[in-house]
Amino acid sequence: MAETSFDVLVIGGGPGGYVAAIRAAQLGLKTAVVEREHLGGICLNWGCIPTKALLRSSEISHLLKHLDQYGFTAKDISFDLKKVVDRSRKVASQLSGGVKHLLKKNKVPVFDGSAKLLGGGKVEVALKAGGKETLAAKHIIIATGARARNLPGLEADGKLIWSYKEAMVPPTMPKSLLVIGSGAIGIEFASFYRNMGAEVTVVEMLDRVLPVEDEEISAFAKKQFEKQGMRILVGAKTQKLEKGADSVTATIEVGGKTEKITADRVILAIGITGNVENIGLENTKVKVDRGHIVVGPYLETDEPGVYAIGDVAGAPWLAHKASHEGVICVEKIAGQHPHPMDVSNIPGCTYCSPQVASVGLTEAKAKAAGHEVKVGRFPYIGNGKAIALGEPEGMVKTVFDAKTGELLGAHMVGAEVTELIQGYVVAKTGELTEAELMHTIFAHPTLSEMMHESVLDAYGRAIHY
């Protein structure tokens, strides 16, 4: 077998892998990528991007059902599900092609196939086209991502019980849907299908939906979901799923009682696990803990010259976290001095209706960490732009250290908060205090004014509420 040598070899072409490869090339390192399926990874092909295309269609569906609020009337409103799904797939395909172009532009070759570490800085690639090739690299970055988790008795079959992949390409619109899990993936699908007309029940094992979010935001979101007609069961355990001819009956334990729920389809959204199998880790000193590779502050593993980034390296499972880790990793390899990842500065976004976004500590976690806190809140109903948009339901919450004025966390629910959150992320990253935020001028009329007012409210100075 022929052997080609590189400075950096990236295994996986998702948002962590391809960004790492491009940054490495920019730094003058001879770099290559091995990708077994689609450039852009799960995020671009089966996750972040195509789900946002679907959710855009569901937002339009919601608006069409409420045209009278804006002075319009229309008859016979309907949708073509095939076209909705096709548009989502075309968006994903376009962006996957864009990644291919970016790698080519940066002179990064892509090997189409599956990689296996051999140890000693060598990787064997089983090529899609047939045959094998051995590659050598001083630095190997594992960016193999993750997949949906299955639990015994709760396995997706692709027909009646869906993972995220099947949920993204439904052949027909189910009349009723059961979603197991209320994290970002589960709630986004629940939101899409409810806005498209399905009856939706969400089952969450923990005591609230969106359990990683601040408790106030979680409670507010739950009320909005229920107002839209979703049924939400929290503190509920799915004991078993029984498949019928064209439906599934779930046995749910909630509040000490057992209930049976029958739905056309079930979506499993019970977490993910890293793709650590069949990549040759047994030939290295790389450690795996609970399905994820153990890494240090610069994404290094226990095997010299081997690194891991993104979902395979553990939570939070976010594309932007993976990309940033890729940059940190290769800049360290290149001899630069990047800052290690500060997870408290990673924003989290859920694109349901209403949207949810946050960064940093929740109020409860800030108190648990020993902070004396000042908390500000501002409701959407107090904002002119929100009322003009017809989006008066929402709130912004900020958490500050009472002694230093440090912004500890920001939590938002409502229209466009996934775009607004970056203002607080910049503030946290720049270590701004309440003083700088109070003296920042926010344009009027904008939704961002609520961010200012929430800061002011934490110090008893809110103007408009």
Side-chain angles (χ1 to χ4, degrees):
M1 293 185 291
E3 182 176 302
T4 310
S5 296
F6 296 93
D7 296 319
V8 175
L9 180 64
V10 183
I11 302 174
Y18 84 75
V19 169
I22 289 172
R23 183 66 184 125
Q26 289 175 343
L27 291 167
L29 300 169
K30 184 182 179 184
T31 307
V33 170
V34 180
E35 172 54 50
R36 68 179 182 181
E37 195 170 2
H38 304 293
L39 287 172
I42 292 296
C43 170
L44 197 153
N45 292 280
W46 292 102
C48 321
I49 299 300
T51 53
K52 302 311 156 294
L54 291 177
L55 285 161
R56 176 59 173 162
S57 293
S58 75
E59 289 168 8
I60 292 170
S61 175
H62 176 78
L63 283 172
L64 289 172
K65 292 170 186 172
H66 296 86
L67 284 175
D68 60 312
Q69 295 180 13
Y70 301 90
F72 292 88
T73 57
K75 295 180 179 179
D76 302 322
I77 295 171
S78 62
F79 64 87
D80 184 327
L81 182 61
K82 186 177 183 301
K83 288 183 178 179
V84 170
V85 173
D86 283 351
R87 176 179 178 272
S88 170
R89 302 315 308 153
K90 286 176 182 174
V91 168
S93 178
Q94 178 181 342
L95 290 172
S96 182
V99 172
K100 182 178 181 180
H101 167 75
L102 289 171
L103 289 169
K104 184 178 180 180
K105 175 184 173 184
N106 285 277
K107 297 179 173 58
V108 176
V110 177
F111 292 84
D112 295 320
S114 299
K116 183 175 182 180
L117 282 78
L118 301 176
K122 294 188 178 182
V123 172
E124 180 182 85
V125 181
L127 299 168
K128 275 186 187 177
K132 295 181 178 180
E133 186 161 354
T134 300
L135 308 177
K138 298 173 188 174
H139 305 280
I140 299 168
I141 300 174
I142 302 170
T144 49
R147 63 187 183 279
R149 173 172 292 160
N150 280 318
L151 296 178
L154 300 179
E155 296 95 357
D157 65 2
K159 297 177 182 178
L160 298 176
I161 304 172
W162 293 344
S163 71
Y164 59 84
K165 279 195 173 183
E166 292 82 28
M168 257 183 278
V169 289
T172 57
M173 179 60 63
K175 292 181 180 178
S176 58
L177 181 71
L178 176 66
V179 180
I180 301 176
S182 75
I185 294 172
I187 284 296
E188 286 185 4
F189 278 124
S191 198
F192 167 73
Y193 281 97
R194 181 67 196 122
N195 270 342
M196 299 301 281
E199 293 296 322
V200 175
T201 300
V202 177
V203 175
E204 171 55 55
M205 186 172 65
L206 299 178
D207 62 355
R208 55 195 177 92
V209 295
L210 297 169
V212 302
E213 300 296 342
D214 184 88
E215 288 185 25
E216 273 188 87
I217 300 299
S218 175
F220 188 100
K222 180 175 181 283
K223 286 182 181 178
Q224 295 306 307
F225 299 149
E226 290 175 331
K227 191 182 290 187
Q228 295 163 15
M230 280 189 214
R231 187 181 179 209
I232 309 284
L233 300 177
V234 296
K237 183 179 180 181
T238 306
Q239 293 182 331
K240 63 178 177 178
L241 299 174
E242 299 173 273
K243 292 185 278 189
D246 198 31
S247 65
V248 182
T249 299
T251 302
I252 310 293
E253 182 185 329
V254 56
K257 298 179 180 179
T258 299
E259 178 181 346
K260 288 186 180 291
I261 299 174
T262 299
D264 292 344
R265 299 292 181 269
V266 172
I267 295 177
L268 297 178
I270 49 180
I272 63 174
T273 186
N275 292 322
V276 296
E277 303 87 359
N278 305 315
I279 57 172
L281 295 185
E282 66 277 7
N283 299 321
T284 71
K285 296 177 183 176
V286 173
K287 290 181 181 175
V288 175
D289 179 32
R290 288 171 290 181
H292 295 92
I293 293 174
V294 177
V295 295
Y298 294 100
L299 297 312
E300 69 277 13
T301 70
D302 285 357
E303 175 75 10
V306 176
Y307 313 80
I309 63 173
D311 287 356
V312 76
W317 299 287
L318 300 167
H320 43 282
K321 174 255 197 185
S323 296
H324 195 68
E325 284 181 334
V327 172
I328 291 171
C329 183
V330 296
E331 288 186 351
K332 185 68 173 177
I333 287 170
Q336 297 194 353
H337 304 283
H339 292 290
M341 177 72 80
D342 181 349
V343 294
S344 73
N345 289 339
I346 302 174
C349 298
T350 305
Y351 299 81
C352 46
S353 178
Q355 293 181 3
V356 176
S358 61
V359 65
L361 298 176
T362 64
E363 180 182 356
K365 287 186 176 179
K367 290 177 178 176
H371 294 279
E372 180 186 340
V373 300
K374 284 185 178 290
V375 178
R377 300 172 183 84
F378 195 82
Y380 265 53
I381 194 66
N383 178 263
K385 180 68 179 294
I387 295 171
L389 289 174
E391 300 281 1
E393 301 289 344
M395 71 176 287
V396 179
K397 178 177 179 177
T398 45
V399 182
F400 290 89
D401 184 289
K403 296 177 181 177
T404 66
E406 177 189 359
L407 176 63
L408 299 173
H411 311 276
M412 315 167 80
V413 55
E416 300 303 328
V417 297
T418 57
E419 298 292 339
L420 296 173
I421 192 63
Q422 199 59 27
Y424 285 133
V425 178
V426 171
K428 262 194 108 287
T429 304
E431 299 181 350
L432 304 187
T433 67
E434 93 288 355
E436 289 89 3
L437 288 168
M438 283 183 182
H439 285 92
T440 299
I441 299 171
F442 289 74
H444 174 78
T446 64
L447 296 176
S448 68
E449 290 175 275
M450 292 183 287
M451 299 168 65
H452 191 214
E453 292 278 7
S454 181
V455 174
L456 293 170
D457 183 62
Y459 292 84
R461 291 175 52 179
I463 301 294
H464 291 97
Y465 194 76

